[in-house]
Amino acid sequence: MAPTLAVFKLASCDGCQLTLLDCEDELLALAGEVDISHFLEASSAVAPGPYDLSLVEGSVTTAADAERIRAIRAASRHLVTIGACATAGGIQALRNYADVDEYRRVVYAHPEYVSTLATSTPVSAHVDVDFELRGCPIDRRQLIEVITAFLAGRKPDVPDHSVCFECKRRGTVCVTVAHGTPCLGPVTHAGCGALCPAYQRGCFGCFGPSGSVNLPALIPLLRRDGLDDDAVERFLHTFNAPAFDEFTEPGKSDESHETGKEVRK
Amino acid sequence: MTHRGSRVLHVGSLSRVEGEGALRLRVHDGTVTEARLEIYEPPRFFEAFLRGRSHTEPPDITARVCGICPVAYQMSACAAIEDACGVSVGPVIRDLRRLLYCGEWIESQALHIYLLHAPDFLGRASAIDLARTHRAEVERGLRLKKAGNSLMELLGGRAVHPVNVRLGGFHRVPTRAELRPLQEELKQALDDAWDTVRWVAGFEFPDARVEADLLALAEPDTYAIEGGTPTVLRLDGTRESFPVRDFTEHVTETHVAHSTALHSRLDGRLHLTGSLARFAISGARLSPVALQAAVAAGLGDPREGAVCHNPFRSILVRAVETVYAVGEALRIIEAYEPPARPYAEVPPVAGTGHGATEAPRGLLYHRYELDADGVVTSALLVPPTAQNQGAIEDDLRRLAQRAITEHDPDDDELTALCERAIRNHDPCISCSTHFLDLTVVRTQGGCDA
Ligand code: SF4
Ligand code: SF4
């Protein structure tokens, strides 16, 4: 019997699961190899678990989703989180630094109708995760690699070096060195193929922190290139805020941090 | 649920829509007393955390509201902030923005037609299921979608959350030589879009009519995409326009208990945005090839006043719009000469700016207030699905009522009908949270569940 694949969504923009539908050349071939048993965005046929591989998009922001992710874990042989929301809390984790009641009042006329947690947390804060795929959004090629690897029972080949390596490989001139453009490439996880520098902008860290990060060494460089303290903070505090936070405290930076690798709690 | 005359139907999670929602229908003695599209996506608070950000940041940040139409968010944000700062971009940048937006229209309309909507007409659960019997058609749909994505990848860097858009224009503009290879793919896409029109024109369409005012942007000489003036076609056939800056005087949002999406009214009435509205408002401005496609699709000639009110037929309008968008992309690429600078400077000015553009599923309005340093002090995003939710529920209620009166379907049949009615409108639930679960409650006598 073909292995079963499920796709689930928590708080997110749908962009990471759309990346699966964006695999136009591989979609029908993939559909021939697996049994897509739960993928609400794509199919109204839903089969009950257990699922061989579950992909989870989105972060945990409600009590109901905290329950749901436990049920998803229980129904999944392998659970892979996809995207910055699921691996770091996503942009909605900006609430973790604010007063969520005030947020509720700003956005909703009847804040009492809205139930939400005060924090947005990654899936790994709630359940064991077999692999975390980074990016906001994830990269299509990496997604195919991860699915193929899990189906073949091997480890995904997703290196955790920084965007800088990808710039070198692509032959892109360093935007910091050549133009003094502030860039998070040195501390950001590879995967996008060093997209932003190729379009003449600095990396803004949408893939989150890379394997070994020395953030304190980068900050003076960002200041030199024109960012004031507020701007540095906003630069780091956008799509992967909680994940970069781990590296802003001195001492933490030289510990090698496991990312994009097997994460078992 | 013993007696079919009274019941509560609940569809806990709708499929083949973007985002997550549910549906609840309450039927009392054969009368639908409540039809709710429940948007239960958790709130993400964009409008709250945009405060304190620099005016250069909303294009990248608001893209993350929705992975299906990030360009719409980027374009409405740029339009609103440039409006606040009193900057208007030159014609070449405008064309390039329209080109990127055409990529999103092609990608998103092909996604909706082939992957979300067509399976309903052919009784299939998904496009993958459909591919078992209609392989060539599904492959065509994927090829068309890919053409839209190629355009977005070239001009924007990637298809989901493009990185190349900035306030005032682009970080880097393409050379003519870089754009040229796209022409081959787009020529194939034009054939595929035409074949899509012919294919969907052969589907069977139930009778239905949306009873709502239609709202879309209008431009004097072109089918509005990346800007224009909000224009309403009322149910009584009258047309009126208002300036974008008056948007919230006309479209007001209320917050109802069953939804994290806000409900909007246009001058106190239900309204619908999206393909049906655009075709009604701007159909006469379609290109000759898209007008031909409209006639071939059986929609009639909008220059002679043809308007489509049947939501099941929205798939036809989407196919016509795809023909249009592919043609526009080819036209822009052929005429393209790179601008002297990839972007216009947008120095901050204290003030308020308004921007609206046509996302594939309807009008998307943004408003920002900036202080003199360019810090955002307040932000408002009014997405299409939040505007459409009231009209979708009304449509749902009428369709369910008619089915119950005519032949009293069982719960499964009624559920399928309601889900179809929702997918007709291509709701994007992710972007309407600020948000959907079908419950049919059928009750008898005095008490309901
Ligand atoms: S990580 Fe980014 S692209 Fe993926 S779901 Fe979250 S916001 Fe969307
Ligand atoms: S360069 Fe950085 S910000 Fe740009 S896509 Fe890659 S990881 Fe994301």
Side-chain angles (χ1 to χ4, degrees):
Chain A
M1 244 181 48
T4 50
L5 175 73
V7 182
F8 295 97
K9 168 189 159 68
L10 308 170
S12 67
C13 82
D14 284 55
C16 287
Q17 53 175 321
L18 178 67
T19 302
L20 186 55
L21 299 179
D22 277 353
C23 299
E24 290 97 359
D25 292 334
E26 297 89 2
L27 189 63
L28 293 180
L30 177 71
E33 299 291 318
V34 298
D35 191 353
I36 299 181
S37 303
H38 186 287
F39 186 5
L40 282 179
E41 168 142 14
S43 175
S44 51
V46 169
Y51 309 107
D52 292 308
L53 175 60
S54 291
L55 304 174
V56 179
E57 170 193 274
S59 65
V60 177
T61 62
T62 63
D65 277 352
E67 277 304 309
R68 197 151 70 98
I69 192 62
R70 281 194 279 276
I72 293 169
R73 173 73 265 187
S76 310
R77 286 204 181 93
H78 299 287
L79 190 155
V80 169
T81 56
I82 54 170
C85 295
T87 61
I91 184 140
Q92 54 273 12
L94 290 175
R95 80 180 67 181
N96 301 4
Y97 310 89
D99 170 1
V100 82
D101 287 325
E102 196 263 343
Y103 271 23
R104 235 191 297 238
R105 287 194 301 273
V106 167
V107 179
Y108 298 99
H110 289 283
E112 70 279 11
Y113 295 162
V114 178
S115 88
T116 179
L117 297 172
T119 54
S120 165
T121 42
V123 170
S124 65
H126 300 264
V127 295
D128 282 353
V129 168
D130 297 293
F131 189 83
E132 297 187 308
L133 184 61
R134 298 181 166 266
C136 178
I138 54 170
D139 178 77
R140 188 159 63 202
R141 289 150 300 199
Q142 289 200 330
L143 176 63
I144 295 282
E145 161 59 19
V146 168
I147 294 175
T148 319
F150 272 93
L151 293 179
R154 63 170 171 83
K155 241 172 108 79
D157 178 19
V158 174
D160 71 347
H161 55 232
S162 73
V163 168
C164 287
F165 283 75
E166 298 192 293
C167 264
K168 304 294 169 282
R169 187 172 308 142
R170 190 168 176 155
T172 304
V173 172
C174 177
V175 292
T176 302
V177 171
H179 312 291
T181 305
C183 181
L184 293 181
V187 296
T188 298
H189 198 286
C192 67
L195 207 49
C196 292
Y199 281 81
Q200 286 179 9
R201 73 180 291 190
C203 170
F204 51 91
C206 79
F207 272 62
S210 59
S212 46
V213 167
N214 188 352
L215 203 49
L218 180 67
I219 289 172
L221 221 62
L222 298 174
R223 288 221 186 81
R224 182 202 72 188
D225 293 335
L227 301 190
D228 62 19
D229 286 351
D230 266 6
V232 167
E233 162 138 352
R234 289 201 312 272
F235 212 24
L236 291 166
H237 272 208
T238 309
F239 305 108
N240 285 279
F244 277 117
D245 271 357
E246 287 182 44
F247 301 97
T248 43
E249 292 158 46
K252 280 217 168 179
S253 53
D254 30 44
E255 288 166 29
S256 132
H257 180 75
E258 269 209 321
T259 56
K261 282 196 200 133
E262 204 145 355
V263 198
R264 268 215 180 268
K265 292 204 319 179
Chain B
M1 269 176 232
T2 46
H3 189 270
R4 287 170 54 181
S6 297
R7 50 187 156 165
V8 180
L9 256 188
H10 184 81
V11 176
S13 27
L14 290 166
S15 58
R16 282 188 281 123
V17 295
E18 291 132 17
E20 294 199 335
L23 172 64
R24 187 180 172 92
L25 202 65
R26 194 179 280 265
V27 185
H28 183 74
D29 284 345
T31 302
V32 179
T33 55
E34 185 178 36
R36 280 184 182 183
L37 179 62
E38 295 176 348
I39 289 179
Y40 63 77
E41 284 247 353
R44 298 173 69 212
F45 301 116
F46 277 85
E47 289 152 322
F49 57 65
L50 281 163
R51 296 169 308 166
R53 292 277 166 169
S54 154
H55 74 311
T56 55
E57 296 181 71
D60 284 322
I61 291 180
T62 60
R64 269 70 183 181
V65 174
C66 177
I68 323 282
C69 55
V71 172
Y73 279 84
Q74 294 183 325
M75 294 297 122
S76 288
C78 287
I81 296 164
E82 288 160 15
D83 176 53
C85 301
V87 171
S88 54
V89 300
V92 185
I93 296 294
R94 259 206 317 274
D95 273 354
L96 279 179
R97 284 181 167 173
R98 191 173 173 89
L99 181 62
L100 178 66
Y101 222 143
C102 283
E104 178 156 292
W105 271 37
I106 298 164
E107 183 279 324
S108 173
Q109 301 289 38
L111 170 82
H112 188 261
I113 293 170
Y114 283 91
L115 273 65
L116 312 182
H117 209 184
D120 275 340
F121 291 91
L122 300 163
R124 296 310 178 115
S126 69
I128 287 159
D129 190 19
L130 186 62
R132 292 186 233 280
T133 49
H134 294 70
R135 179 96 188 182
E137 287 84 352
V138 174
E139 282 178 349
R140 180 178 66 211
L142 291 170
R143 194 163 62 222
L144 187 56
K145 182 167 166 294
K146 191 178 170 191
N149 278 340
S150 299
L151 191 47
M152 290 172 77
E153 281 164 16
L154 189 104
L155 198 51
R158 61 185 172 195
V160 178
H161 309 328
V163 300
N164 191 24
V165 172
R166 56 163 289 162
L167 213 51
F170 294 85
H171 289 278
R172 176 185 173 287
V173 292
T175 60
R176 279 184 59 90
E178 282 174 310
L179 282 179
R180 208 170 301 125
L182 279 177
Q183 284 173 310
E184 280 316 302
E185 196 173 351
L186 287 167
K187 282 181 190 149
Q188 171 70 47
L190 195 54
D191 290 343
D192 288 336
W194 258 106
D195 288 339
T196 304
V197 169
R198 293 188 192 99
W199 186 54
V200 297
F203 291 173
E204 250 181 72
F205 298 98
D207 265 340
R209 188 184 155 87
V210 276
E211 300 289 341
D213 292 351
L214 300 174
L215 172 69
L217 297 174
E219 299 243 52
D221 310 309
T222 188
Y223 201 73
I225 300 179
E226 76 292 350
T229 305
T231 302
V232 192
L233 179 66
R234 306 251 181 230
L235 270 175
D236 64 11
T238 54
R239 257 174 101 103
E240 48 197 275
S241 299
F242 52 83
V244 178
R245 65 172 180 277
D246 292 347
F247 187 82
T248 53
E249 281 167 34
H250 294 273
V251 177
T252 48
E253 294 186 292
T254 51
H255 188 188
V256 296
H258 65 269
S259 173
T260 42
L262 302 173
H263 269 214
S264 310
R265 290 283 179 280
L266 172 64
D267 297 328
R269 289 187 292 270
L270 293 176
H271 73 288
L272 190 71
T273 74
S275 294
L276 293 182
R278 283 192 295 256
F279 186 73
I281 301 283
S282 289
R285 310 259 178 293
L286 283 168
S287 60
V289 58
L291 285 165
Q292 256 177 24
V295 173
L299 289 163
D301 188 335
R303 289 170 302 185
E304 288 158 14
V307 169
C308 174
H309 281 106
N310 182 341
F312 289 93
R313 293 165 70 91
S314 64
I315 193 169
L316 298 170
V317 181
R318 285 193 184 91
V320 169
E321 288 193 334
T322 312
V323 170
Y324 178 73
V326 177
E328 275 296 276
L330 280 164
R331 181 187 67 76
I332 295 168
I333 292 173
E334 268 155 39
Y336 176 66
E337 289 294 343
R341 298 206 46 203
Y343 58 88
E345 289 294 345
V346 186
V349 175
T352 302
H354 311 261
T357 68
E358 285 288 341
R361 43 206 62 65
L363 192 153
L364 168 63
Y365 168 81
H366 286 207
R367 182 185 74 207
Y368 300 91
E369 283 172 38
L370 306 179
D371 70 15
D373 297 326
V375 174
V376 176
T377 56
S378 93
L380 175 69
L381 317 175
V382 184
T385 300
Q387 299 183 64
N388 290 346
Q389 196 178 350
I392 298 175
E393 289 182 341
D394 184 59
D395 193 38
L396 200 58
R397 186 183 51 71
R398 263 176 303 103
L399 277 169
Q401 185 64 62
R402 200 176 63 193
I404 288 167
T405 307
E406 282 173 3
H407 68 283
D408 197 21
D410 64 20
D411 281 5
D412 286 348
E413 196 188 330
L414 194 55
T415 298
L417 175 75
C418 289
E419 286 208 41
R420 278 191 77 177
I422 290 172
R423 288 192 285 261
N424 283 340
H425 294 287
D426 186 15
C428 183
I429 298 167
S430 296
C431 74
S432 65
T433 61
H434 269 302
F435 258 80
L436 191 111
D437 186 59
L438 174 69
T439 312
V440 184
V441 187
R442 299 200 186 211
T443 53
Q444 276 178 280
C447 109
D448 58 15

Coordinates of all heavy atoms in Angstrom, one line a residue, chain A residues 7 16 43 46 62 64 71-72 75 106 109 112 129 137 148 168 173 175 184 206-207 218 222-223 235 240 242 247:
Chain A
V7 N -1.6 16.8 5.3 CA -1.1 18.2 5.4 C -2.1 18.9 6.4 O -3.3 18.9 6.2 CB -1.1 18.9 4.1 CG1 -0.6 20.4 4.2 CG2 -0.3 18.2 3.1
C16 N 3.0 28.0 2.8 CA 3.9 26.9 2.8 C 3.2 25.7 2.2 O 3.8 24.9 1.4 CB 4.4 26.6 4.2 SG 5.7 27.8 4.7
S43 N -8.3 18.8 -1.3 CA -9.2 17.7 -1.5 C -10.3 17.6 -0.5 O -10.0 17.8 0.7 CB -8.4 16.4 -1.5 OG -9.3 15.3 -1.6
V46 N -11.3 13.0 2.9 CA -10.5 13.0 4.1 C -10.5 11.6 4.7 O -11.6 11.1 5.0 CB -10.9 14.0 5.1 CG1 -10.2 13.9 6.4 CG2 -10.7 15.4 4.5
T62 N -3.9 29.1 19.7 CA -5.2 28.9 20.4 C -5.1 27.7 21.2 O -4.3 26.7 20.9 CB -6.4 28.8 19.5 OG1 -6.3 27.7 18.7 CG2 -6.5 30.0 18.6
A64 N -7.4 25.5 21.4 CA -7.9 24.4 20.5 C -6.8 23.8 19.6 O -6.7 22.6 19.5 CB -9.0 24.9 19.7
A71 N -3.2 15.7 18.9 CA -4.0 14.7 18.2 C -3.3 14.4 16.9 O -3.2 13.2 16.5 CB -5.4 15.1 18.0
I72 N -2.8 15.4 16.2 CA -2.1 15.2 14.9 C -0.8 14.4 15.2 O -0.5 13.4 14.5 CB -1.7 16.5 14.3 CG1 -3.0 17.3 13.8 CG2 -0.8 16.3 13.1 CD1 -2.8 18.7 13.4
A75 N -1.5 10.8 15.6 CA -2.0 10.1 14.4 C -0.9 10.1 13.3 O -1.2 9.6 12.2 CB -3.2 10.8 13.9
V106 N -7.3 46.6 19.4 CA -7.0 47.4 18.2 C -7.6 46.8 17.0 O -8.1 47.5 16.1 CB -5.4 47.4 18.0 CG1 -5.0 47.9 16.7 CG2 -4.8 48.2 19.1
A109 N -13.7 45.0 17.1 CA -14.7 45.8 17.8 C -15.2 45.0 19.1 O -15.5 45.6 20.1 CB -15.9 46.1 16.9
E112 N -14.1 40.4 23.0 CA -14.5 39.2 23.8 C -14.9 38.1 22.9 O -15.0 36.9 23.3 CB -15.7 39.6 24.7 CG -17.0 40.0 24.0 CD -17.1 41.4 23.5 OE1 -16.1 42.1 23.4 OE2 -18.2 41.8 23.1
V129 N 8.9 16.7 17.2 CA 8.9 16.9 15.8 C 10.0 16.1 15.2 O 11.1 16.1 15.7 CB 9.0 18.4 15.5 CG1 9.3 18.7 14.1 CG2 7.8 19.2 16.0
P137 N 8.2 31.8 2.6 CA 7.8 30.4 2.7 C 8.9 29.4 2.5 O 10.1 29.8 2.2 CB 6.9 30.3 1.5 CG 7.6 31.1 0.5 CD 8.1 32.3 1.3
T148 N 10.6 13.2 -0.2 CA 11.3 12.0 -0.8 C 12.1 11.2 0.2 O 12.1 10.0 0.3 CB 12.2 12.4 -2.0 OG1 11.5 13.4 -2.7 CG2 12.5 11.3 -2.9
K168 N 27.9 32.7 -2.5 CA 29.2 32.4 -3.2 C 29.0 31.4 -4.3 O 29.5 31.6 -5.4 CB 30.1 31.7 -2.1 CG 30.4 32.6 -0.9 CD 31.1 33.9 -1.2 CE 31.1 34.8 0.0 NZ 29.9 35.6 0.2
V173 N 27.7 39.0 -6.0 CA 28.6 39.9 -5.3 C 27.9 40.2 -4.0 O 26.7 40.5 -3.9 CB 28.8 41.2 -6.2 CG1 29.6 42.2 -5.3 CG2 29.5 40.9 -7.5
V175 N 26.4 42.0 -1.1 CA 25.8 43.3 -1.1 C 26.3 44.2 0.1 O 26.3 45.4 0.0 CB 24.2 43.2 -1.1 CG1 23.6 42.7 -2.4 CG2 23.7 42.4 0.1
L184 N 21.2 40.1 6.6 CA 21.2 39.0 7.6 C 21.7 37.7 7.1 O 21.7 36.7 7.7 CB 19.8 38.8 8.2 CG 19.3 39.9 9.1 CD1 17.9 39.6 9.6 CD2 20.2 40.3 10.2
C206 N 14.3 35.4 6.4 CA 13.0 34.7 6.4 C 13.2 33.2 6.6 O 12.2 32.5 6.9 CB 12.2 35.1 5.2 SG 12.6 34.2 3.7
F207 N 14.4 32.7 6.5 CA 14.6 31.3 6.8 C 15.1 31.0 8.2 O 15.4 29.9 8.6 CB 15.6 30.6 5.8 CG 15.0 30.1 4.5 CD1 14.3 31.0 3.6 CD2 15.0 28.8 4.2 CE1 13.7 30.5 2.5 CE2 14.4 28.3 3.0 CZ 13.7 29.1 2.2
L218 N 27.6 40.3 14.1 CA 27.0 40.9 12.9 C 26.4 42.3 13.3 O 26.4 43.2 12.4 CB 25.9 40.0 12.4 CG 25.1 40.5 11.2 CD1 26.0 40.5 10.0 CD2 23.9 39.7 10.9
L222 N 25.7 45.8 11.0 CA 24.4 46.3 10.6 C 24.4 47.8 11.0 O 23.8 48.6 10.2 CB 23.3 45.6 11.3 CG 23.2 44.1 11.0 CD1 22.1 43.4 11.9 CD2 22.9 43.9 9.5
R223 N 25.0 48.2 12.1 CA 25.0 49.6 12.6 C 25.8 50.4 11.6 O 25.4 51.5 11.2 CB 25.6 49.7 14.0 CG 24.6 49.2 15.0 CD 24.6 50.1 16.2 NE 23.8 49.5 17.3 CZ 24.2 48.5 18.1 NH1 25.5 48.1 18.0 NH2 23.4 47.9 18.9
F235 N 14.6 44.5 12.3 CA 15.2 43.6 11.3 C 15.2 42.1 11.8 O 14.8 41.2 11.0 CB 16.7 44.0 11.0 CG 17.2 43.8 9.6 CD1 16.3 43.7 8.5 CD2 18.5 43.7 9.4 CE1 16.8 43.5 7.2 CE2 19.1 43.5 8.1 CZ 18.2 43.4 7.0
N240 N 10.9 35.5 12.0 CA 11.4 34.5 12.9 C 11.9 35.0 14.2 O 12.9 34.5 14.8 CB 12.6 33.8 12.2 CG 12.2 32.9 11.0 OD1 11.8 31.8 11.2 ND2 12.3 33.4 9.8
P242 N 11.3 34.9 17.5 CA 11.7 34.1 18.7 C 13.0 33.3 18.4 O 13.8 33.1 19.3 CB 10.5 33.2 19.0 CG 9.3 33.8 18.3 CD 9.9 34.5 17.1
F247 N 19.8 34.0 20.1 CA 21.2 34.3 19.8 C 21.6 35.7 20.2 O 22.7 36.1 20.0 CB 21.5 34.1 18.3 CG 21.2 32.7 17.9 CD1 20.0 32.4 17.3 CD2 22.1 31.7 18.2 CE1 19.8 31.1 16.9 CE2 21.9 30.4 17.8 CZ 20.7 30.1 17.2

